[in-house]
């Protein structure tokens, strides 16, 4: 479609507005995290002097550093297991005929629909009885079951698009079954697996409900839950700016992943939802 | 297969045919086994952790059960449900949840559509747009809630200064507090909505719009008559996802208001009953009610969706 310069200027203005919309709250929390002393309550957007003080406070606090370790560790473990299981399941769903296929998809859908809080409260009861309360495993297990549906849907949507005939073609050309899989299918499937891993990581990294219901100490509490308990329960007299600093720290991985993989993330999000 | 083997001694030709059938079923059986071997672990991981708690919650919801007083546990059948459904507080929280859902989802739909249009049409800044829009999506809900809570705060925030509101306390009244929660929620989730809408928008052939333009349709007419009817499916999917999500709102309420000023939502009620008040029976009943409501919403959407799609197909044919 031919686009006049004036309409294009209109869309560019829109684009700039959207970018501002998306990043102003982020810049606000960053600028709050650099405020110190009276600046914190100066009701201005930017600090008068930029200070690293809050970051020092946050990294000197066990509350935050253990929570960060918990979050990183549990998110990586849950993401890895979830993506492996989801890859196998998605392969079966997109390539094989077996009874109960619809059941698997139905259960996955039911779980995404079911309120997390309705699972978390009975789990609280159960975990206390079997000793999983306030442990890494006690959080990783629910993370798995809640991230698997998303990963399965994203991966199944990806696998359906892979031209599987190429595998046979390679075998006709003299490749062994393993070579065909290794050289042809794996490179085609990797982007999908990667996208699923990023989306799964986001989902698990974001968890708050399980984090606050299934933990009671620093042993397993992830960052989002720890942030909520900074207030009052901490040694900080005025935790606002340190919370902002902690918030910025946990946002960095998200921003890095987005910067690196924006195209894939968008494809993964929309593929799974529209076709799945 | 047991029927073929236990059948009377078959004649040779039949033998080969049944043998072939056995081989065939053998192959499908192998495929079936492989299918379950691959999908089984994921299936078990999903069901084991959610199946038991759901059944457990339904079971516990029939008891008057306080965690600190296990011996005082007594079976009350639907008593907890009666208690909840006849309590004015429950209906108030139901109302708050519905208001938040309706307000956020409808604003997100309009805003998300505008965002999708810009992303679809802008020739420049595409990568920057995509990155910018994914930041709110990826950011932790707790973090975005804090960002907005502090922005609106009359001690730390800049909003009052910006709009000359002086010392106005946003978190001092129900409506202004709900407003801030809605703003935070909208900011965080509109990008997801707009990406789903963008996928629908991209599927509309450019020829349609070109033709409408040639026929003299205004921009508004093109949106109303060409774009919207052609992306009904995308809109329904986006609405369904977001409505279910918004109805379960918890994180931002917890962080921004902690349920103060009557801003409690249903998820928050379930949490408070079980975890803070250790009223496991009552809390489980709230959870079950919440789950039933969510399922009802989903069923309603699918029903409307189906009739809508079949109508659309009927018109086109």
């Amino acid at each position: 479609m031919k686009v006049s310069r004036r309409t294009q200027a209109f869309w560019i203005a829109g684009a700039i507005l959207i970018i501002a919309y998306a990043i102003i709250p982020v810049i606000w929390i960053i600028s709050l995290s650099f405020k110190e002393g009276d600046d914190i309550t100066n009701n201005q957007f930017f600090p008068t002097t930029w200070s690293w003080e809050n970051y020092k406070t946050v990294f000197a606090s066990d509350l935050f550093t253990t929570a960060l370790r918990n979050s990183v560790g549990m998110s990586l473990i849950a993401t890895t297991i979830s993506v492996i299981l989801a890859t196998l399941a998605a392969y079966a769903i997109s390539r094989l005929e077996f009874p109960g296929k619809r059941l698997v998809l139905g259960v996955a859908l039911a779980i995404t629909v079911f309120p997390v809080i309705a699972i978390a409260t009975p789990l609280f009861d159960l975990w206390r009885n079997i000793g999983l309360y306030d442990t890494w495993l006690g959080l990783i297990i629910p993370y798995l079951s809640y991230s698997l549906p998303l990963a399965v849907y994203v991966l199944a949507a990806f696998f359906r698009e892979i031209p599987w005939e190429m595998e046979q073609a390679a075998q006709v050309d003299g490749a062994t079954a393993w070579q065909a899989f290794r050289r042809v299918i794996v490179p085609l499937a990797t982007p999908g697996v990667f996208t699923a891993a990023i989306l799964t990581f986001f989902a698990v990294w974001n968890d708050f409900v399980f984090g606050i219901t299934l933990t009671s100490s620093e042993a397993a509490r992830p960052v989002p839950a720890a942030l909520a308990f900074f207030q009052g329960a901490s040694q900080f007299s005025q935790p606002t700016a340190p919370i902002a600093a902690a918030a910025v720290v946990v946002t960095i991985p998200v921003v890095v992943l987005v910067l690196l993989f924006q195209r894939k993330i968008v494809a993964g999000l929309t593929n799974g939802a529209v076709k799945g | 297969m047991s029927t073929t083997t236990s059948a009377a001694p078959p004649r040779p030709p039949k033998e080969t045919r049944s043998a072939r059938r056995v081989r065939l079923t053998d192959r499908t059986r192998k495929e079936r086994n492989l299918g379950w071997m691959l999908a089984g672990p994921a299936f078990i991981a999903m069901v084991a952790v959610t199946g038991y708690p759901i059944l457990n919650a339904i079971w516990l919801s029939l008891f008057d059960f306080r965690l600190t007083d296990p011996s005082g546990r007594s079976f009350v059948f639907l008593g907890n449900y009666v208690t909840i459904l006849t309590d004015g507080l429950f209906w108030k929280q139901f109302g708050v949840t519905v208001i938040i859902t309706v307000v956020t989802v409808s604003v997100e739909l309009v805003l998300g559509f505008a965002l999708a249009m810009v992303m679809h049409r802008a020739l420049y800044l595409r990568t920057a747009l995509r990155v910018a829009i994914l930041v709110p999506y990826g950011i932790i809900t707790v973090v975005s809630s804090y960002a907005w809570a502090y922005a609106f705060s009359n001690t730390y925030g800049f909003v009052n200064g910006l709009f000359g509101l002086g010392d106005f306390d946003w978190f001092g009244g129900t409506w202004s507090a709900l407003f801030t929660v809605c703003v935070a929620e909208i900011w965080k989730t509109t990008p997801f909505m707009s990406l789903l809408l963008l996928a629908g928008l991209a599927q509309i052939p450019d020829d349609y719009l070109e033709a409408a333009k040639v026929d003299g349709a205004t921009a508004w007419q093109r949106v109303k008559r060409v774009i919207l009817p052609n992306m009904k499916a995308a809109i329904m999917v986006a609405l369904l996802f977001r409505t279910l999500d918004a109805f379960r709102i918890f994180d931002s309420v917890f962080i921004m208001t902690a349920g103060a000023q009557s801003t409690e939502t249903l998820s928050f009620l379930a949490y408070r009953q079980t975890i803070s008040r250790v009223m496991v029976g009552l809390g489980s009943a709230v959870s079950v009610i919440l789950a039933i409501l969510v399922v009802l919403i989903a069923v309603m959407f699918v029903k409307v969706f189906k009739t809508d799609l079949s109508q659309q197909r009927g018109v086109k044919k």
Side-chain angles (χ1 to χ4, degrees):
Chain A
M1 205 186 284
K2 229 182 134 199
V3 190
S4 74
R5 193 169 289 167
R6 232 184 67 206
T7 44
Q8 200 40 233
F10 174 77
W11 294 122
I12 289 177
I16 291 168
L17 261 179
I18 291 173
I19 294 170
Y21 156 91
I23 64 171
I24 283 177
V26 181
I27 295 178
W28 154 247
I29 197 92
I30 293 173
S31 101
L32 183 62
S33 75
F34 282 103
K35 286 183 177 182
E36 190 195 12
D38 289 343
D39 265 5
I40 295 168
T41 52
N42 72 355
N43 294 95
Q44 299 293 315
F45 194 87
F46 291 111
T48 49
T49 47
W50 298 73
S51 137
W52 286 99
E53 200 48 47
N54 300 314
Y55 289 90
K56 284 182 196 147
T57 316
V58 155
F59 276 106
S61 125
D62 280 347
L63 216 65
F64 180 69
T65 47
T66 36
L68 194 61
R69 204 174 322 128
N70 290 339
S71 259
V72 171
M74 292 190 297
S75 301
L76 289 180
I77 294 173
T79 304
T80 311
I81 300 175
S82 168
V83 168
I84 292 171
L85 294 185
T87 305
L88 300 176
Y91 176 85
I93 285 165
S94 55
R95 288 274 286 159
L96 304 173
E97 260 333 306
F98 62 99
K101 192 157 134 180
R102 293 196 150 267
L103 178 72
V104 176
L105 286 170
V107 165
L109 192 66
I111 290 175
T112 38
V113 166
F114 211 75
V116 183
I117 198 83
I119 299 285
T121 47
L123 268 187
F124 166 74
D125 206 28
L126 176 64
W127 270 194
R128 286 164 65 102
N129 287 333
I130 61 174
L132 279 177
Y133 182 67
D134 208 19
T135 63
W136 272 35
L137 192 60
L139 279 179
I140 289 173
I141 293 172
Y143 286 170
L144 274 184
S145 50
Y146 257 86
S147 61
L148 269 170
L150 174 74
V152 169
Y153 272 103
V154 169
L155 280 164
F158 254 94
F159 285 172
R160 245 171 264 151
E161 312 265 291
I162 289 182
W164 295 97
E165 320 82 68
M166 282 176 66
E167 193 179 26
Q168 274 125 22
Q171 276 173 318
V172 170
D173 287 348
T176 64
W178 171 246
Q179 279 175 327
F181 179 74
R182 196 47 262 283
R183 299 280 168 85
V184 180
I185 297 306
V186 170
L188 284 171
T190 311
V193 175
F194 222 73
T195 309
I198 294 169
L199 294 178
T200 307
F201 181 83
F202 277 0
V204 175
W205 188 244
N206 189 22
D207 162 71
F208 180 62
V209 174
F210 290 126
I212 56 166
T213 44
L214 303 180
T215 65
S216 63
S217 73
E218 288 170 26
R221 188 171 283 159
V223 172
L227 279 178
F229 289 109
F230 258 10
Q231 264 164 340
S234 79
Q235 67 269 46
F236 309 121
S237 49
Q238 202 181 41
T240 308
I243 286 179
V248 171
V249 173
V250 295
T251 306
I252 291 169
V254 171
V255 173
V256 170
L257 284 176
V258 164
L259 279 174
L260 290 177
F261 305 110
Q262 25 99 9
R263 210 177 288 265
K264 287 197 179 110
I265 298 172
V266 170
L269 275 177
T270 47
N271 263 352
V274 175
K275 290 172 196 157
Chain B
M1 262 188 324
S2 57
T3 47
T4 39
T5 46
S6 66
R11 278 161 291 171
K14 220 179 177 181
E15 169 86 56
T16 47
R17 206 189 298 149
S18 73
R20 199 189 300 141
R21 198 165 63 213
V22 168
R23 246 201 322 276
L24 269 180
T25 51
D26 228 38
R27 204 166 138 201
T28 47
R29 208 183 58 211
K30 267 188 184 147
E31 190 173 326
R32 284 175 176 196
N33 285 346
L34 182 64
W36 269 109
M37 258 165 60
L38 292 175
F43 183 72
I44 290 168
M46 289 192 288
V47 173
V49 187
T50 50
Y52 176 79
I54 291 171
L55 295 178
N56 187 238
I58 295 170
W59 177 243
L60 283 176
S61 73
L62 305 177
F63 288 87
D64 181 8
F65 179 30
R66 186 191 272 273
L67 208 61
T68 48
D69 178 24
S71 53
R73 173 169 162 163
S74 61
F75 186 75
V76 290
F77 194 44
L78 296 177
N80 286 326
Y81 292 93
V82 174
T83 311
I84 293 163
L85 293 175
T86 52
D87 190 344
L89 200 63
F90 170 82
W91 291 106
K92 211 167 148 190
Q93 284 155 353
F94 175 76
V96 168
T97 313
V98 169
I99 289 171
I100 292 178
T101 307
V102 171
V103 169
T104 55
V105 173
S106 37
V107 173
E108 280 166 22
L109 182 63
V110 175
L111 205 58
F113 185 71
L115 259 64
M117 279 299 272
V118 172
M119 284 194 283
H120 189 56
R121 286 269 165 257
L123 297 177
Y124 308 100
L125 295 171
R126 287 201 145 190
T127 310
L129 259 180
R130 219 172 9 224
V131 170
I133 216 157
L134 283 176
V135 168
Y137 163 77
I139 223 167
I140 295 177
T141 313
V142 171
V143 168
S144 94
S145 306
Y146 270 123
W148 285 103
Y150 291 152
F152 279 108
S153 152
N154 57 6
T155 330
Y156 313 109
F158 66 92
V159 171
N160 280 358
L162 192 66
F163 295 103
L165 290 168
D167 253 358
F168 181 71
D169 183 6
W170 288 92
F171 301 100
T174 306
W175 293 106
S176 55
L178 280 180
F179 176 81
T180 62
V181 170
C182 286
V183 169
E185 196 64 12
I186 290 166
W187 177 76
K188 163 103 178 85
T189 50
T190 302
F192 176 68
M193 179 86 110
S194 73
L195 288 175
L196 294 186
L197 294 177
L198 178 64
L201 206 53
Q203 283 167 349
I204 303 174
D206 265 353
D207 313 0
Y208 286 20
L209 292 168
E210 196 84 47
K213 211 171 182 179
V214 170
D215 289 347
T218 62
W220 170 240
Q221 282 173 327
R222 287 201 299 272
V223 168
K224 206 178 139 195
R225 295 283 160 85
V226 182
I227 295 177
L228 289 183
N230 275 299
M231 52 186 290
K232 245 183 192 156
I235 292 175
M236 288 303 283
V237 169
L239 279 182
L240 173 64
F241 273 118
R242 279 299 309 140
T243 306
L244 294 181
D245 231 30
F247 201 77
R248 295 174 285 183
I249 182 171
F250 178 78
D251 302 12
S252 36
V253 173
F254 188 100
I255 295 295
M256 297 182 76
T257 68
Q261 310 296 344
S262 324
T263 54
E264 263 197 349
T265 60
L266 290 180
S267 285
F268 200 89
L269 176 69
Y271 170 81
R272 205 168 46 88
Q273 288 296 340
T274 321
I275 307 294
S276 313
R277 295 189 57 214
V278 291
M279 301 285 284
V280 177
L282 213 55
S284 298
V286 176
S287 292
V288 172
I289 291 175
L290 183 61
I292 291 172
L293 286 172
V294 168
V295 170
L296 279 181
I297 295 175
V299 169
M300 232 162 60
F301 259 100
V302 171
K303 272 241 165 84
V304 174
F305 192 23
K306 269 199 181 137
T307 54
D308 227 56
L309 274 192
S310 54
Q311 268 172 9
Q312 229 182 348
R313 227 170 284 143
V315 170
K316 269 184 190 163
K317 263 175 191 173

